[in-house]
Amino acid sequence: MFMTAAAAVVIAEEIPTLQRLRDAVEGALEGKQDAVELALVALIARGHILIEDVPGVGKTTLARALARAVGGELRRVQFTSDLLPSDVVGVSVYDQRTGEFVLRQGPVFANILLADEINRASPRTQSALLEAMNEGQVSLDGQTIPLPDPFLVIATQNPQDFAGTFPLPESQLDRFLVRIRIGYPPPQVEMRLLQSATDTVHNVPVVLDPAKLVALQREVERVVLDTALASYLQALILATRAAPALSLGASTRGAMSLARAAKARALLRGRAYVIADDIHDLAIPVLAHRVRLASHADGFMPTRDEAEAAVREIVARVPVPL
């Protein structure tokens, strides 16, 4: 695959915009450049984000900052055990004045949906998001209704509290492009937050509009992934399927997600081509939540650290092309 000179020029013209976007979001989440970059990779790669972290470290701040920077609409749903699918996607109600059923759209009809503590909802409610995440649409009463474009799900779950939760099945985990951890802020940043006590999101400038973001997302497809690097990526995927430590390796969707994420990272860093570091550095956040350890083959999901360690070992032993 070769890029035309015209395509390379178009991508070069987007570099200042992408830098402003990065600066805008990082301004709301200081000291968390890696988490912000992963979120932006997912955003411009049309992927969804799963954040596993304890409460109060900036998950909502990240979602709000992203929505504000791209001029999009953000809606938040607190997932609970009694939440119904209709509470997420919407429901048809009877209008006595017109004698017709009218669709009341649920919060999924937004540019960014924050699904807070998604694993506290029942599997039935969790599954209501599958079509939305995969197809960008919902089906209600025999109608297929497209969602706003762009559309991004940011789901959160607490890795320390499993009481009253329903683990996400592999089919749903596979829909998330990346799994990230924000973590506590550096001490100096936390001190500034204590002293200012202001909402940093209010200072986030609007860098794009949704239409411009869609155009940026299309530019990801122009980024070149050459044959040698595609072979390296495939070798990583095949290694997850052959590893004795894993009973379930990465899917084809996982392989395609890693390729798309690598292209998005290259674009975000001002390149029109993927390098080995893009694939190498994204392998864990893109693949670790898609695998299952052999020791957990009876249905229990591995912890984050166990899964990441297994993928890290695979990444370390698969040769990187020179």
Side-chain angles (χ1 to χ4, degrees), residues 194-251:
L194 292 173
Q195 292 177 319
S196 63
T198 58
D199 187 350
T200 55
V201 177
H202 288 158
N203 298 323
V204 173
V206 179
V207 178
L208 308 174
D209 57 39
K212 177 62 175 175
L213 176 57
V214 171
L216 273 177
Q217 291 171 336
R218 294 196 184 105
E219 293 303 319
V220 171
E221 297 306 318
R222 295 176 180 259
V223 176
V224 173
L225 174 66
D226 68 28
T227 303
L229 290 176
S231 297
Y232 169 58
L233 190 155
Q234 186 179 40
L236 289 173
I237 298 299
L238 294 176
T240 68
R241 299 171 185 170
L246 300 178
S247 64
L248 179 68
S251 67

Side-chain angles (χ1 to χ4, degrees), residues 68-103:
R68 186 175 177 87
V70 301
E73 180 184 9
L74 169 70
R75 293 190 181 181
R76 176 179 178 178
V77 179
Q78 185 67 45
F79 277 58
T80 57
S81 59
D82 59 350
L83 193 74
L84 299 175
S86 58
D87 295 326
V88 179
V89 299
V91 64
S92 292
V93 296
Y94 183 72
D95 189 331
Q96 292 183 341
R97 293 175 299 177
T98 63
E100 298 178 344
F101 283 92
V102 179
L103 172 65

